[in-house]
Amino acid sequence: MSFVLRNLQRVVPLRRAKLRREVETLRQILGIQRFDLGLICVDNQRIQHINKTYRHKDTPTDVLSFPFYEAGELPSQLDQDECNLGDIFLGVEYLLRQCDEEGWDFHSALTVVTAHGICHLLGYRHETEEEWKQMFQKESYILNEFNKRTGCHLEPLTKKYNSEK
């Protein structure tokens, strides 16, 4: 199945080939290569509009995920129409500013927030502290496996539960 990377913004230069390779590694770690996945990079204006429309939050953000399936209900038998995992929108302009403020490497952060977005597509949430702990464990596992395969040193960006997110 395919992975589609679209860059719908011109504010932040992206290393698309590197991001594509890293997302393919994440897909292998999770065993979701048979599912279609969309990754769309957008600017602050577009991510804010999407956030306002679907989450009623009139502010830009780093990542929004739109799963094709209900939380945690991936089919075991796949028909052609059932191979879509969902779409992830990356607010790359917002993320770049966040990286500048926190001293993070932007391209590493792109991979981390993509892993976060994939967790959402797989049904993980962080509405409660218990959900956040489960999602943090899954993200940590994914990034640890990613680090073993690539020699990177990535870790989740959020280290504690935040009820505001």
Side-chain angles (χ1 to χ4, degrees), residues 1-14:
M1 295 292 101
S2 69
F3 155 56
V4 176
L5 172 60
R6 296 191 61 206
N7 184 18
L8 302 182
Q9 57 84 44
R10 296 182 188 269
V11 180
V12 179
L14 294 176

Side-chain angles (χ1 to χ4, degrees), residues 105-116:
D105 175 72
F106 173 69
H107 292 283
S108 295
L110 274 177
T111 303
V112 173
V113 296
T114 300
H116 183 88

